Amino acid sequence: MTQTENIPGGVVHDLPMDLAAALTANPKALATWEDITPLARNEWICWVETAKKAVTRSKRIAWGCENLEEGKRRPCCWPGCGHRERGATPEPPLEP
């Protein structure tokens, strides 16, 4: 899978375009992404999407791709996606 629209998302969250583009640009990170579970992908996506500022989101995408490139399967030091709880809904993405 190399096209952005063919990269799998998570169990609750769809893959945002900016994260998909970063993964497409980094073959090692993309290989790890495709190897991890949908739940693990969900954790990465939620971690990126919960950033309150666009600059933080960009930093998380860059740091996340570096960590995926190193083979890390989940974001470090993050309590996890709260949207998996019954009745929770994801927050809308940031406006550019």
Side-chain angles (χ1 to χ4, degrees):
M1 286 185 221
T2 57
Q3 293 183 334
T4 304
E5 59 272 358
N6 292 332
I7 301 172
V11 294
V12 175
H13 300 284
D14 293 327
L15 183 64
M17 294 302 295
D18 51 354
L19 180 54
L23 290 168
T24 301
N26 187 328
K28 287 184 180 181
L30 180 58
T32 301
W33 183 265
E34 291 175 339
D35 187 53
I36 61 178
T37 66
L39 186 58
R41 289 192 297 265
N42 192 74
E43 298 297 311
W44 283 107
I45 294 167
C46 188
W47 177 69
V48 166
E49 290 191 334
T50 57
K52 291 185 178 24
K53 297 181 180 179
V55 68
T56 304
R57 181 184 177 106
S58 295
K59 287 179 184 179
R60 287 184 180 184
I61 290 171
W63 185 87
C65 284
E66 289 172 14
N67 279 266
L68 285 162
E69 184 177 352
E70 294 170 2
K72 295 183 180 168
R73 304 178 76 77
R74 301 221 182 217
C76 173
C77 310
W78 187 66
C81 177
H83 301 113
R84 288 185 286 126
E85 296 177 16
R86 185 175 298 221
T89 55
E91 295 176 21
L94 291 174
E95 295 293 322

